[in-house]
Structures are given as structure tokens and as C-alpha cells.
């Protein structure tokens, strides 16, 4: 095939388009405004403004893994620390692997109120919502 014919063939074909890329999930832990407000209230009540909320993932529950939340007066040596408007969340390195891209929110409804983790890594959860698997 001549060089001119090759160029004409290439020009007559529509350009290949790459598939649309999905937006990358956020790295780290996102602290929603609702969670910031409630955490500030709780820290003021405890009179421990330097403390933070510790998030962890532990084995257990009917789906294999479950979340743990507790107060921590300070971060530990290898913790990942996420902060928004003066509120801090501590996560140990092992738990962080399961929580990348998670959003911490505070929900208040007529039936219940509490913190909720919206975790994009969850593949299955139990019916009660207390445990999950990835």
C-alpha cells in the first residue's frame, strides 16, 4: 500500500475515543459538616478540645468486619489524622486500608441519631448495618 493510501485510510476512520474515566474516590476520610458540628458539641461537653474521634475496623459481626468509634485524647505514633474546622479523626494504618474514601456523617431522624460511615469499599453488609465485608 502506498504512503498516500495509508494516510487516506487513517484519515477516513473516526478517531478512537477513550472511555470516560470514573472520578477517583477521595483519598483519606472526609468529615461531613454535619459530623463536624456534632463532634464540636461533644468535645465541648467533655471539655477536651484536643481529643479526637478514633475510627477503627475490627473483625467480627455477621459479615466479617465491624466499625469501632471511641474518643481518643491524642493520636498514636502511626495514626493517620484527618481534620476539618478544628475537629480531628484518628485512624490506625490497618483500619485505614478499609476506610479510604469514607465519609463520616452525623444523621438525626425521628427514630435515631448517630454517626454513620459511608464507605465506598463495602461490598456487602448485614441486615442490621452493624457489620460489612470488602
Amino acid at each position: 500500500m502506498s504512503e498516500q493510501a495509508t494516510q487516506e485510510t487513517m484519515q477516513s476512520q473516526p478517531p478512537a475515543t477513550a472511555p470516560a474515566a470514573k472520578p477517583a474516590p477521595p483519598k483519606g476520610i472526609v468529615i461531613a459538616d454535619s459530623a463536624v458540628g456534632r463532634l464540636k458539641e461533644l468535645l465541648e461537653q467533655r471539655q477536651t478540645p484536643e481529643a479526637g474521634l478514633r475510627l477503627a475496623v475490627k473483625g467480627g459481626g455477621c459479615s466479617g468486619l465491624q466499625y469501632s468509634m471511641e474518643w481518643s485524647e491524642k493520636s498514636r505514633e502511626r495514626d493517620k489524622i484527618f481534620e476539618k474546622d478544628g475537629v480531628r479523626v484518628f485512624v490506625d494504618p490497618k483500619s485505614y486500608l478499609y476506610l479510604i474514601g469514607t465519609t463520616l456523617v452525623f444523621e438525626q431522624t425521628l427514630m435515631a441519631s448517630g454517626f454513620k460511615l459511608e464507605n465506598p469499599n463495602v461490598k456487602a453488609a448485614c441486615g442490621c448495618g452493624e457489620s460489612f465485608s470488602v
Side-chain angles (χ1 to χ4, degrees), residues 47-75:
Q47 299 179 352
T48 55
E50 296 300 314
L53 183 67
R54 176 168 299 285
L55 299 180
V57 174
K58 301 180 187 245
C62 50
S63 292
L65 297 169
Q66 60 188 8
Y67 299 115
S68 170
M69 291 185 202
E70 63 187 21
W71 292 113
S72 182
E73 298 305 314
K74 61 182 180 175
S75 64

Side-chain angles (χ1 to χ4, degrees), residues 37-52:
R38 183 63 178 144
L39 286 170
K40 280 185 175 183
E41 290 172 10
L42 293 171
L43 287 168
E44 286 175 17
Q45 289 174 5
R46 294 181 79 236
Q47 299 179 352
T48 55
E50 296 300 314

Side-chain angles (χ1 to χ4, degrees), residues 34 38 76 78 89 118 122:
S34 61
R38 183 63 178 144
R76 296 179 188 150
R78 296 183 37 167
V89 172
E118 296 175 350
V122 171

Side-chain angles (χ1 to χ4, degrees), residues 5 20 29 42 54 56 70 79 83 89 97 100 104 107-108 114 121-122 126 133-134:
I29 307 296
L42 293 171
R54 176 168 299 285
E70 63 187 21
D79 279 347
E83 187 168 0
V89 172
L97 296 174
I100 294 172
L104 173 67
E107 291 184 343
Q108 189 164 7
N121 305 305
V122 171
C126 66
S133 63
V134 292

